[in-house]
Amino acid sequence: MTTPTSSTLVRRDVATPLGPLTLVAADDGLRGAYFADHRRRPELEALEAPATHPALDRAERAFAAYFAGEAADVPVDAVAPGTPFQREVWEALRDIPAGRTWTYTQVAARIGRPTATRAVAAAIGRNPLTVAVPCHRVVGADGALTGYAGGIERKRWLLAHERG
C-alpha cells in the first residue's frame, strides 16, 4: 500500500452477497470499501459516481471475482489513507492467508511490536478497505470473532466463504 496523493475521489456502489458495498477511488487506486452500515463510514453520497473509472472498474472486477469464489483475495491497487503505523498494520493483514485467522497479538508480533496489541486493534478498526485488506481474518486471543466494522455476521460469512 502506498500513501495517497491528492486527487478527486469518486464512488461506485456494487452488489455483494452481503449487501451493497461502496467503493471509493482516486486515479491512483482504491481508497475505501464500505458496507452501508459500516462503522466509521465517511459521508460518501456527495462523491461523483462516474460510469467508468479505471480504479473503480478494476476494484469492481476484483470484488466480483472474490465473491464468486474465483479468487481467494481481492487484488486491488490499494492506497490507504492512514498514519504510517496504520498502513504498516494494514499491510500485515494482507499476509494472512485466505480462510485463516490470526490474533491481534500475532499481527502485533508480525510488525515487530509485540506489546502493541491495543494499538494494532485500534488500527485494524480504522481499516478503510474492508475485505480488500482482510481485517475480518483477525480474531480475539481465544479465537472468538470480535470487532468487525461490517458486523460479526459478515465476518463469519467472509471466513466461511474463504474456507469453501
Side-chain angles (χ1 to χ4, degrees):
M1 259 180 279
T2 59
T3 304
T5 58
S6 177
S7 61
T8 303
L9 295 177
V10 294
R11 70 184 279 256
R12 179 175 298 158
D13 294 325
V14 297
T16 77
L18 298 174
L21 183 68
T22 300
L23 306 178
V24 179
D27 290 340
D28 54 357
L30 189 67
R31 298 280 184 93
Y34 305 95
F35 289 109
D37 57 349
H38 199 101
R39 283 193 315 258
R40 295 181 198 82
R41 183 181 195 262
E43 287 297 321
L44 304 170
E45 287 67 29
L47 296 179
E48 181 184 350
T52 63
H53 184 277
L56 288 175
D57 296 343
R58 284 190 305 273
E60 183 174 7
R61 284 191 302 273
F63 275 97
Y66 171 83
F67 282 113
E70 298 168 8
D73 289 301
V74 179
V76 296
D77 300 323
V79 183
T83 68
F85 177 78
Q86 288 171 328
R87 288 192 308 272
E88 182 179 18
V89 170
W90 299 335
E91 192 61 39
L93 298 180
R94 296 176 90 175
D95 292 336
I96 305 172
R100 303 283 308 274
T101 58
W102 288 0
T103 65
Y104 294 96
T105 302
Q106 287 174 300
V107 176
R110 179 67 171 217
I111 65 168
R113 299 174 189 227
T115 61
T117 303
R118 286 186 182 186
V120 163
I124 291 170
R126 299 243 185 266
N127 172 22
L129 293 159
T130 195
V131 183
V133 174
C135 55
H136 61 277
R137 296 178 188 159
V138 181
V139 298
D142 63 355
L145 300 185
T146 60
Y148 183 60
I152 296 300
E153 286 307 312
R154 282 190 182 112
K155 183 173 190 163
R156 182 175 286 112
W157 189 96
L158 290 165
L159 289 170
H161 173 69
E162 291 178 359
R163 290 177 178 144

